[in-house]
Amino acid sequence: ALIDSRCIACHTGIAAQKGMRLDSAEAIQTQAAAIYQQVVLQKTMPLNNATGITDAERALIGRWFTAGAAAP
């Protein structure tokens, strides 16, 4: 649900930004390390925080990644 509300607007279909699609559980798992890097560590995504992601939501993604990035 978090990916759907904060990331999917720019990362779906043929218009996916930087070619990173996050519109399936498999795609999200494949991109887990990049998601963690960009969202949690660098805090560069969403770009200019366009979707208003909170620190608590970033922490949730961090916990998901460190727990093994299971399918959402």
Side-chain angles (χ1 to χ4, degrees):
L2 183 55
I3 297 290
D4 284 345
S5 65
R6 302 295 190 202
C7 309
I8 204 74
C10 295
H11 293 286
T12 189
I14 59 173
Q17 297 292 317
K18 296 186 179 182
M20 180 183 275
R21 292 184 63 169
L22 301 175
D23 48 9
S24 72
E26 181 181 82
I28 292 168
Q29 282 186 294
T30 300
Q31 298 294 337
I35 293 167
Y36 179 70
Q37 182 75 26
Q38 297 287 316
V39 175
V40 179
L41 299 180
Q42 295 178 348
K43 297 183 179 180
T44 55
M45 285 291 130
L47 189 58
N48 297 319
N49 200 16
T51 62
I53 193 169
T54 67
D55 287 339
E57 290 169 328
R58 289 180 194 281
L60 178 63
I61 291 172
R63 290 191 302 274
W64 163 76
F65 180 77
T66 57

